[in-house]
Amino acid sequence: MQHILIIDDEEKLRTLTARIIRLEGFEVTEAGDCRTGIKKLEQQEFSVVLCDVKLPDGNGVDLTKIIKEKAPYAEVILLTAYGNIPDGVQAIKNGAFDYIVKGDDNNKIIPLIHRAIEKATLSKQVAHLESRLEKKYSFDGIIGNSKTIKEAILLAERVAATDATVLLTGETGTGKEVFANAIHQNSNRKSKGFVAINCAAFSHDLLESEMFGHVAGAFTGAMKDKKGLFEEANGGTIFLDELGEMALDLQAKLLRVLESGEFIKVGESKLTKVDVRIVAATNRDLLSEIEAGKFRQDLYYRLSIFQIKLPSLRERVADIDLLANFFIKSFNAKTGRQLKGMQPDYLQALKLHTWPGNIRELKNVIERSVILETSNLLTVNTLPFDIVNEATTATGNNEAKTLSAFSLAASEKVQIQKVLNYTNGNKAEAARLLGIGIATLYRKIEEYKIA
């Protein structure tokens, strides 16, 4: 139920207004002066405050500013017996939702309250989403206690408050986009946009158009003008993932943006200027790419003003336990499961794996295990066969083959059937979760006669 506060020293009018508002289904609290009104605001949350302009101990126009400081999401509607333009202007400047004259606008009060409540509700929702976003992409949200990840976080925290260009390096799946988001959310640009683009996901011409935009008629299919992602990110941050895949001529255009904040749209001759912070990422060795003539040296030095290398999962084995348990909780919530954790041999197998796909691969393995597991702890029977075999080889002990409680063929058939059921028959998704190729999955389906 929405709560309304009425601050008015005219008791009869206040009581009448309160009765009318209650008939609309709202909860109403009354106050006869500024001091009492402020006290009520400190005790309870209100969506709307109806406030008289002239009060025994103050002025409603001035009080509006105090109300917005104490209750930023509450909307204030000021009521006055004699309206005047200067008061109305100042009221709006102080954050009032509206300023109306008593008596003349009685029929407008209820519709006005409904509109004010809509705005107050929306403001709360936006603030809640922003809070969740900040929490999700805060540095505190990056999981790990190992020395290598803590060093990377410390560097990212220091550079976040500046406008310096950042280059994130490291293997695929090490969390480069997570770091880029955290840098943006902890910068003075966080109120503006964060735009991400994977440079490897587009052809040369499409990438140029995506980055810088185009005008109608610039090429076949360009039916209308289109803003590029640099324009979309104006005032904020643009994240260029897989930068090492960018063609040399586009690298030259990117260098110009870094140097002057200017670029030319595809099919246009005039310059467009933007104020954008660039965070770039690559899994390539750019110095080797420079030697091979595939990456511009001048661009590299402009991008690597502040370089952060993200450690592979092999370099932070101590964090696997924390990461795995985080993913278990996450997939518990998604699937409605109540798994309590992992068997010791399951965790041992995870720690012995080399993780070429890093955190992304670990997440996929945990998702697969959560789907397949029938007990309340993850067991090695749900692990991909290559991880089990790798653990067996690493231990150098044939008895380690007891990691699997069933024959490989029997458990494989059961696992494939479970995953196909989970994906509603989507074989491409099932192959991804099982960690095998689509052709291998089709062969297994035929071999085991899975319907």
Side-chain angles (χ1 to χ4, degrees):
M1 182 180 287
Q2 302 288 350
H3 294 267
I4 314 293
L5 173 62
I6 302 176
I7 307 174
D8 197 328
D9 62 329
E10 295 183 47
E11 186 176 354
K12 287 183 180 179
L13 180 60
R14 187 180 72 232
T15 303
L16 176 61
T17 306
R19 188 180 300 127
I20 293 169
I21 294 172
R22 286 191 182 101
L23 289 173
E24 291 292 316
F26 300 122
E27 187 76 31
V28 181
T29 300
E30 299 176 47
D33 51 45
C34 294
R35 184 181 60 80
T36 307
I38 290 170
K39 189 175 180 180
K40 297 290 185 184
L41 277 167
E42 291 171 344
Q43 294 171 344
Q44 188 177 343
E45 184 178 318
F46 295 96
S47 298
V48 177
V49 178
L50 279 176
C51 183
D52 192 10
V53 169
K54 290 189 176 181
L55 293 163
D57 57 347
N59 181 287
V61 175
D62 297 330
L63 183 59
T64 298
K65 198 170 184 180
I66 298 170
I67 292 171
K68 294 301 286 185
E69 287 171 357
K70 291 186 175 294
Y73 307 125
E75 294 300 329
V76 182
I77 299 172
L78 287 175
L79 308 171
T80 180
Y82 306 99
N84 65 77
I85 292 173
D87 270 2
V89 171
Q90 190 58 48
I92 300 303
K93 283 183 178 179
N94 287 355
F97 180 76
D98 210 336
Y99 176 91
I100 62 174
V101 178
K102 290 181 181 179
D104 295 345
D105 291 324
N106 285 346
N107 60 329
K108 295 181 180 179
I109 288 287
I110 297 303
L112 196 57
I113 287 174
H114 280 286
R115 292 201 301 274
I117 285 173
E118 284 179 9
K119 186 180 177 186
T121 302
L122 182 61
S123 296
K124 287 179 192 174
Q125 289 173 345
V126 169
H128 176 64
L129 289 171
E130 286 177 346
S131 175
R132 286 182 59 189
L133 187 66
E134 285 183 16
K135 184 177 179 181
K136 180 179 178 181
Y137 292 117
S138 70
F139 289 111
D140 291 338
I142 297 174
I143 300 166
N145 289 322
S146 62
K147 182 182 177 183
T148 52
I149 196 65
K150 282 188 171 181
E151 287 174 350
I153 291 171
L154 180 61
L155 288 172
E157 284 177 331
R158 287 180 177 174
V159 75
T162 74
D163 260 351
T165 300
V166 181
L167 178 62
L168 301 171
T169 62
E171 296 177 8
T172 297
T174 49
K176 293 188 281 292
E177 187 163 356
V178 172
F179 266 77
N181 259 300
I183 288 169
H184 172 71
Q185 288 299 327
N186 287 272
S187 74
N188 57 10
R189 294 174 177 264
K190 67 178 181 180
S191 61
K192 301 294 183 178
F194 174 85
V195 177
I197 182 170
N198 187 323
C199 300
F202 299 92
S203 65
H204 173 281
D205 292 337
L206 276 177
L207 180 58
E208 182 177 8
S209 174
E210 286 295 315
M211 288 172 60
F212 304 119
H214 63 254
V215 295
F219 51 83
T220 304
M223 306 301 293
K224 59 182 180 179
D225 292 358
K226 178 189 173 183
K227 268 188 177 183
L229 295 181
F230 270 93
E231 271 190 282
E232 296 288 350
N234 192 28
T237 304
I238 189 165
F239 174 53
L240 303 175
D241 199 8
E242 303 295 350
L243 183 76
E245 308 299 324
M246 187 181 289
L248 285 168
D249 61 330
L250 287 185
Q251 290 177 29
K253 292 191 174 185
L254 176 59
L255 180 62
R256 181 172 187 169
V257 178
L258 279 165
E259 290 176 338
S260 64
E262 298 174 337
F263 61 88
I264 299 174
K265 294 181 181 181
V266 178
E268 194 169 60
S269 56
K270 67 177 184 180
L271 289 169
T272 298
K273 194 168 182 68
V274 291
D275 171 25
V276 175
R277 182 188 196 169
I278 295 176
V279 178
T282 183
N283 59 5
R284 290 179 177 265
D285 180 347
L286 293 185
L287 291 175
S288 297
E289 295 292 296
I290 290 168
E291 289 183 8
K294 296 179 180 178
F295 202 84
R296 293 179 63 106
Q297 188 175 45
D298 48 4
L299 177 59
Y300 171 76
Y301 287 121
R302 285 304 302 255
L303 287 169
S304 60
I305 292 171
F306 202 97
Q307 188 172 158
I308 304 172
K309 182 182 184 301
L310 302 190
S312 67
L313 204 49
R314 295 184 303 281
E315 298 172 281
R316 46 183 299 212
V317 173
D319 293 333
I320 288 177
D321 192 350
L322 287 171
L323 288 162
N325 277 298
F326 171 80
F327 290 135
I328 290 170
K329 288 178 183 177
S330 175
F331 290 119
N332 270 345
K334 286 184 179 180
T335 60
R337 301 292 304 278
Q338 293 183 335
L339 291 158
K340 305 298 183 186
M342 304 165 280
Q343 291 281 11
D345 53 353
Y346 183 97
L347 179 58
Q348 180 195 28
L350 294 184
K351 289 185 173 181
L352 290 171
H353 185 50
T354 52
W355 298 111
N358 292 291
I359 299 170
R360 191 178 297 131
E361 182 187 0
L362 175 63
K363 180 181 178 181
N364 291 342
V365 167
I366 299 297
E367 182 182 9
R368 175 185 192 273
S369 290
V370 169
I371 294 166
L372 296 173
E373 189 54 66
T374 54
S375 68
N376 65 351
L377 291 172
L378 294 185
T379 61
V380 290
N381 302 315
T382 62
L383 284 170
F385 308 120
D386 61 324
I387 293 181
V388 175
N389 291 335
E390 192 174 1
T392 300
T393 303
T395 57
N397 184 353
N398 288 332
E399 290 181 4
K401 291 180 181 178
T402 59
L403 281 169
S404 180
F406 308 102
S407 71
L408 284 178
S411 62
E412 189 174 48
K413 179 178 179 180
V414 171
Q415 290 177 10
I416 290 172
Q417 185 65 70
K418 282 183 178 179
V419 174
L420 283 169
N421 291 341
Y422 176 76
T423 63
N424 295 317
N426 185 325
K427 295 180 178 61
E429 179 65 6
R432 182 187 71 80
L433 289 169
L434 288 163
I436 59 177
I438 188 70
T440 302
L441 177 60
Y442 275 105
R443 179 170 55 78
K444 297 286 185 183
I445 289 172
E446 185 176 347
E447 180 183 342
Y448 297 135
K449 294 182 172 54
I450 297 171

